[in-house]
Amino acid sequence: MGLPGRSTRKVSVWPVAFVGGLRYESPKVNAAGKVYGWKTVFDPHRPFAIDMAGFAINLRLVLFKPQAYFKLRGVKGGYQESSLLRELVTLNDLEPKAANCT
């Protein structure tokens, strides 16, 4: 059994335990295996409502898109992940891991 991000083509996502007052936060995944939303308490309408521990980015994608970086300034608190991920992918590009985030 390998690490969930090892086979990442663009950006992989998975559930994270003990985040934001929940037992876990998770991407919502439809029957086709596509992410369509987020199970989270903190601002679930963020473009990518995911904790930093819940995703992996393929290094080739970062190198191909050098404008994408993790911004600490000029970004509303809790939106750093969304700021980075929207520079790299769309919701449709996300690759659910961990048995489709179940």
Short mmCIF file of all heavy atoms in Angstrom, two decimals, residues 9 15 19-20 28-30 32-33 35 38 40 42-44 55 69-70 72 94 96 100:
data_model
loop_
_atom_site.label_atom_id
_atom_site.label_comp_id
_atom_site.label_asym_id
_atom_site.label_seq_id
_atom_site.Cartn_x
_atom_site.Cartn_y
_atom_site.Cartn_z
N ARG A 9 -1.21 12.58 -11.08
CA ARG A 9 -0.91 13.14 -12.40
C ARG A 9 -0.91 14.67 -12.33
O ARG A 9 -0.04 15.32 -12.89
CB ARG A 9 -1.93 12.66 -13.43
CG ARG A 9 -1.76 11.18 -13.77
CD ARG A 9 -2.74 10.72 -14.84
NE ARG A 9 -4.13 10.96 -14.51
CZ ARG A 9 -4.89 10.12 -13.81
NH1 ARG A 9 -4.39 8.99 -13.35
NH2 ARG A 9 -6.14 10.41 -13.56
N PRO A 15 -9.46 12.52 2.24
CA PRO A 15 -9.97 13.02 3.52
C PRO A 15 -8.83 13.29 4.51
O PRO A 15 -7.77 12.68 4.44
CB PRO A 15 -10.85 11.88 4.03
CG PRO A 15 -11.13 11.03 2.85
CD PRO A 15 -9.95 11.17 1.94
N VAL A 19 -10.05 18.01 11.52
CA VAL A 19 -9.83 19.34 10.95
C VAL A 19 -11.11 20.15 11.13
O VAL A 19 -12.21 19.64 10.91
CB VAL A 19 -9.48 19.24 9.44
CG1 VAL A 19 -9.31 20.62 8.84
CG2 VAL A 19 -8.24 18.42 9.23
N GLY A 20 -10.96 21.40 11.50
CA GLY A 20 -12.10 22.32 11.53
C GLY A 20 -13.25 21.90 12.42
O GLY A 20 -14.39 22.18 12.11
N LYS A 28 -16.26 15.78 -1.66
CA LYS A 28 -17.44 15.02 -2.05
C LYS A 28 -17.19 14.51 -3.46
O LYS A 28 -16.82 15.28 -4.34
CB LYS A 28 -18.69 15.89 -2.01
CG LYS A 28 -19.08 16.34 -0.62
CD LYS A 28 -20.33 17.21 -0.69
CE LYS A 28 -20.73 17.70 0.66
NZ LYS A 28 -21.91 18.62 0.57
N VAL A 29 -17.40 13.21 -3.66
CA VAL A 29 -17.10 12.58 -4.94
C VAL A 29 -18.37 11.92 -5.48
O VAL A 29 -19.04 11.18 -4.76
CB VAL A 29 -15.95 11.55 -4.79
CG1 VAL A 29 -15.64 10.89 -6.11
CG2 VAL A 29 -14.71 12.21 -4.19
N ASN A 30 -18.69 12.17 -6.75
CA ASN A 30 -19.89 11.57 -7.34
C ASN A 30 -19.60 10.14 -7.84
O ASN A 30 -18.47 9.66 -7.75
CB ASN A 30 -20.46 12.46 -8.45
CG ASN A 30 -19.54 12.61 -9.64
OD1 ASN A 30 -18.66 11.77 -9.91
ND2 ASN A 30 -19.72 13.69 -10.39
N ALA A 32 -19.25 9.03 -10.71
CA ALA A 32 -18.29 8.99 -11.81
C ALA A 32 -16.85 9.19 -11.33
O ALA A 32 -15.92 9.20 -12.13
CB ALA A 32 -18.65 10.05 -12.85
N GLY A 33 -16.69 9.37 -10.01
CA GLY A 33 -15.35 9.55 -9.45
C GLY A 33 -14.81 10.96 -9.57
O GLY A 33 -13.60 11.17 -9.52
N VAL A 35 -14.78 15.01 -8.16
CA VAL A 35 -15.05 15.87 -7.00
C VAL A 35 -16.06 16.93 -7.42
O VAL A 35 -15.92 17.58 -8.44
CB VAL A 35 -13.75 16.55 -6.51
CG1 VAL A 35 -14.05 17.55 -5.39
CG2 VAL A 35 -12.74 15.51 -6.04
N TRP A 38 -17.40 19.81 -1.10
CA TRP A 38 -16.56 19.57 0.07
C TRP A 38 -17.39 19.31 1.31
O TRP A 38 -18.38 20.01 1.55
CB TRP A 38 -15.67 20.79 0.30
CG TRP A 38 -14.98 21.21 -0.94
CD1 TRP A 38 -15.38 22.21 -1.80
CD2 TRP A 38 -13.82 20.62 -1.52
NE1 TRP A 38 -14.51 22.27 -2.86
CE2 TRP A 38 -13.54 21.32 -2.72
CE3 TRP A 38 -12.96 19.59 -1.14
CZ2 TRP A 38 -12.47 21.01 -3.53
CZ3 TRP A 38 -11.88 19.29 -1.95
CH2 TRP A 38 -11.65 19.99 -3.12
N THR A 40 -17.09 20.03 4.80
CA THR A 40 -16.30 20.86 5.69
C THR A 40 -17.22 21.83 6.42
O THR A 40 -18.33 22.10 5.96
CB THR A 40 -15.22 21.63 4.92
OG1 THR A 40 -14.41 22.36 5.83
CG2 THR A 40 -15.82 22.58 3.90
N PHE A 42 -15.77 24.93 7.83
CA PHE A 42 -15.24 26.26 7.56
C PHE A 42 -15.43 26.64 6.10
O PHE A 42 -14.82 26.07 5.20
CB PHE A 42 -13.75 26.34 7.92
CG PHE A 42 -13.12 27.67 7.56
CD1 PHE A 42 -13.43 28.80 8.28
CD2 PHE A 42 -12.28 27.77 6.48
CE1 PHE A 42 -12.88 30.03 7.94
CE2 PHE A 42 -11.72 28.99 6.13
CZ PHE A 42 -12.03 30.11 6.87
N ASP A 43 -16.29 27.58 5.86
CA ASP A 43 -16.52 28.17 4.54
C ASP A 43 -16.52 27.14 3.41
O ASP A 43 -15.62 27.12 2.56
CB ASP A 43 -15.49 29.26 4.27
CG ASP A 43 -15.92 30.22 3.18
OD1 ASP A 43 -16.98 29.98 2.55
OD2 ASP A 43 -15.20 31.20 2.94
N PRO A 44 -17.54 26.28 3.37
CA PRO A 44 -17.57 25.22 2.35
C PRO A 44 -17.71 25.73 0.92
O PRO A 44 -17.59 24.94 -0.02
CB PRO A 44 -18.80 24.39 2.75
CG PRO A 44 -19.63 25.30 3.57
CD PRO A 44 -18.69 26.26 4.25
N PHE A 55 -4.11 17.19 0.11
CA PHE A 55 -3.85 17.11 -1.31
C PHE A 55 -2.35 16.99 -1.59
O PHE A 55 -1.52 17.33 -0.76
CB PHE A 55 -4.45 18.29 -2.08
CG PHE A 55 -3.89 19.64 -1.74
CD1 PHE A 55 -2.82 20.17 -2.45
CD2 PHE A 55 -4.45 20.41 -0.74
CE1 PHE A 55 -2.32 21.44 -2.17
CE2 PHE A 55 -3.97 21.68 -0.44
CZ PHE A 55 -2.90 22.18 -1.16
N TYR A 69 2.04 29.73 -6.64
CA TYR A 69 2.81 29.55 -5.41
C TYR A 69 1.89 29.79 -4.23
O TYR A 69 0.83 30.39 -4.36
CB TYR A 69 4.04 30.46 -5.37
CG TYR A 69 3.73 31.95 -5.35
CD1 TYR A 69 3.68 32.64 -4.14
CD2 TYR A 69 3.49 32.64 -6.52
CE1 TYR A 69 3.39 33.99 -4.12
CE2 TYR A 69 3.21 34.00 -6.50
CZ TYR A 69 3.16 34.67 -5.28
OH TYR A 69 2.87 35.99 -5.26
N PHE A 70 2.30 29.32 -3.06
CA PHE A 70 1.51 29.43 -1.84
C PHE A 70 1.67 30.84 -1.28
O PHE A 70 2.74 31.21 -0.82
CB PHE A 70 1.98 28.38 -0.83
CG PHE A 70 1.04 28.22 0.33
CD1 PHE A 70 -0.12 27.48 0.20
CD2 PHE A 70 1.33 28.80 1.54
CE1 PHE A 70 -0.98 27.33 1.26
CE2 PHE A 70 0.47 28.65 2.62
CZ PHE A 70 -0.69 27.91 2.48
N LEU A 72 1.05 33.81 1.29
CA LEU A 72 0.71 34.09 2.69
C LEU A 72 0.15 35.49 2.84
O LEU A 72 -0.63 35.75 3.77
CB LEU A 72 1.94 33.92 3.58
CG LEU A 72 2.46 32.48 3.69
CD1 LEU A 72 3.75 32.44 4.49
CD2 LEU A 72 1.42 31.57 4.31
N LEU A 94 -9.21 17.30 -10.31
CA LEU A 94 -8.81 16.66 -9.05
C LEU A 94 -8.95 15.14 -9.14
O LEU A 94 -9.89 14.62 -9.74
CB LEU A 94 -9.64 17.19 -7.89
CG LEU A 94 -9.47 18.69 -7.61
CD1 LEU A 94 -10.39 19.11 -6.47
CD2 LEU A 94 -8.02 19.02 -7.29
N PRO A 96 -9.46 11.99 -6.88
CA PRO A 96 -9.77 11.47 -5.55
C PRO A 96 -9.01 10.17 -5.26
O PRO A 96 -8.97 9.29 -6.11
CB PRO A 96 -11.27 11.21 -5.59
CG PRO A 96 -11.78 11.81 -6.85
CD PRO A 96 -10.61 11.99 -7.76
N ASN A 100 -11.93 6.73 -3.37
CA ASN A 100 -12.82 7.83 -3.75
C ASN A 100 -13.26 8.68 -2.56
O ASN A 100 -14.41 9.15 -2.50
CB ASN A 100 -14.02 7.35 -4.55
CG ASN A 100 -13.74 7.36 -6.03
OD1 ASN A 100 -12.81 8.00 -6.50
ND2 ASN A 100 -14.56 6.64 -6.79
#
